[in-house]
Amino acid sequence: MNITRVLQAITVCIAATLSLSTPVASAVPGEFAWPLRPKPHVVTPFDGPEHDWLPGHRGVDLAAEEGRSVLAVADGTVVFAGTVAGKPVVSVDHPGGLRSTYEPVVASVAAGTRVRRGSVLGSVASGHDSCSSTCLHWGIRRGRDYLDPTALVRTRPIRLKPLDAPGR
């Protein structure tokens, strides 16, 4: 086996690993959008713990102004709109087993409401502890597994090119 074939085999293995390791791969590109418009700055990125009981950041914090509209990231059904530990929270279930959660958000929807991508869920409130200024905490999970929500809204997919492609 020559070095080119070995490198091609490695490239295929890497591509397969990347596609399997992306926990939101079953989501169809374009079905999800940012919960704030225009696209917000990520203040604190996702830092999922290795185990459920370990510390980590189970979502992302997005820069926002108090009162800014929070939008549904995809079609779904509101499953919770209320207070958790003194913070206003909205959660939406989406097809494919994903649940999005937004905090702190003063809800303008009630549990049971069907929403479309871009529907207003409520407005950003102040009081998210991990931000020095006002921000929106956006989380996504499938079952009990927290996922990086930004993986749903990446604008450019990762593409590996063959080693023997023209121009190399």
Side-chain angles (χ1 to χ4, degrees):
M1 201 180 229
N2 66 27
I3 190 69
T4 302
R5 289 194 181 269
V6 169
L7 291 173
Q8 287 173 337
I10 290 170
T11 301
V12 168
C13 289
I14 290 170
T17 301
L18 286 172
S19 68
L20 292 175
S21 66
T22 304
V24 291
S26 66
V28 176
E31 286 186 359
F32 287 80
W34 289 93
L36 300 171
R37 286 195 195 122
K39 177 186 168 189
H41 170 72
V42 176
V43 176
T44 310
F46 179 79
D47 181 22
E50 186 176 341
H51 299 288
D52 290 352
W53 61 89
L54 294 175
H57 192 240
R58 292 163 173 82
V60 295
D61 293 335
L62 306 173
E65 308 81 37
E66 189 169 355
R68 187 170 176 185
S69 292
V70 176
L71 311 173
V73 296
D75 296 354
T77 302
V78 176
V79 291
F80 183 82
T83 304
V84 175
K87 306 282 188 199
V89 176
V90 176
S91 295
V92 178
D93 277 357
H94 307 283
L98 294 177
R99 174 174 287 179
S100 59
T101 300
Y102 316 86
E103 182 265 315
V105 174
V106 176
S108 61
V109 292
T113 305
R114 293 184 52 82
V115 294
R116 308 277 298 163
R117 181 181 68 205
S119 298
V120 175
L121 300 174
S123 58
V124 175
S126 62
H128 186 59
D129 296 335
S130 68
C131 292
S132 57
S133 61
T134 304
C135 69
L136 172 70
H137 178 83
W138 173 35
I140 293 282
R141 64 184 178 119
R142 177 176 282 126
R144 295 180 57 90
D145 297 324
Y146 287 88
L147 310 171
D148 181 359
T150 63
L152 294 169
V153 291
R154 286 193 184 123
T155 55
R156 286 185 273 150
I158 298 171
R159 290 196 174 33
L160 299 175
K161 296 183 178 182
L163 293 174
D164 57 352
R168 284 207 141 213

